[in-house]
Amino acid sequence: MTQPPMDPTASKRATVRRHRRERQILLFGLLLIGMAVAGVFFASVYKGDTEGPFAEPFVTPASEFETEVNVACPPGGALPMEPTEIPIRVLNATDKSGLAGTTAADLKGRGFVVTGAGNYPRPYDGSVRIIYGEEGLVEAYTLSNYFTEFEMVLDTRDSAVSDLVIGDAYDPATTLRAQGAPELDPETPFVRPQQCVPVELVAPEPAPRVIPDNPLVEASSSPSAEASDVPQEGDN
């Protein structure tokens, strides 16, 4: 009994289906092998036996960081200090005689440790400039809370004593906050400026040749306040 001849079209379709199954088997086999290799790799990374592709932090090294922002951020979550823990020197940058002395008296009455009052050697048309060193960052931010307008400048001083410079725009009636102002709540963390960087990334200005001794430390290597190169009020 003879079989009928096979339809050439049916034979071709069978060949195509066989090749398709072979390709599918090969593809799934490769996928399974890839998944197995990936599983072994990530298990090794999880155990710490292998360093992952994202082991390096997504940060720019400090030595390569560049920015035009020159304002230091307050320490995260830091609270204001007591005024009795903050030494300051008050400097008058205006032609109003006695302004440093009256401002110093106001701040001393609020508990600040005033190391002296004198004239600032350069004019300043702003309201208040707080000049501080990295060691006095929290002290400077605490002092800034007492003013509605201020500018903070970091310099290279190795001291917690800050200089408070009074400028032409200073008005004690509006610039110096009232003692009961909510901004002076000692339990309220500092308000972070909109644009600031960690203090170690700020380019500091040169410090004055002489910084007053910090009376809150037992020993100080700073030159004496009496030998300051800042002229006293009334000298000019």
Side-chain angles (χ1 to χ4, degrees), residues 53-61:
F54 306 114
E56 294 298 325
F58 292 97
V59 297
T60 301

Side-chain angles (χ1 to χ4, degrees), residues 5-23:
M6 181 175 291
D7 184 359
T9 303
S11 176
K12 185 176 182 179
R13 286 199 297 269
T15 301
V16 170
R17 285 196 297 270
R18 185 175 67 255
H19 290 166
R20 183 179 300 164
R21 284 196 300 271
E22 291 173 351
R23 287 195 300 270

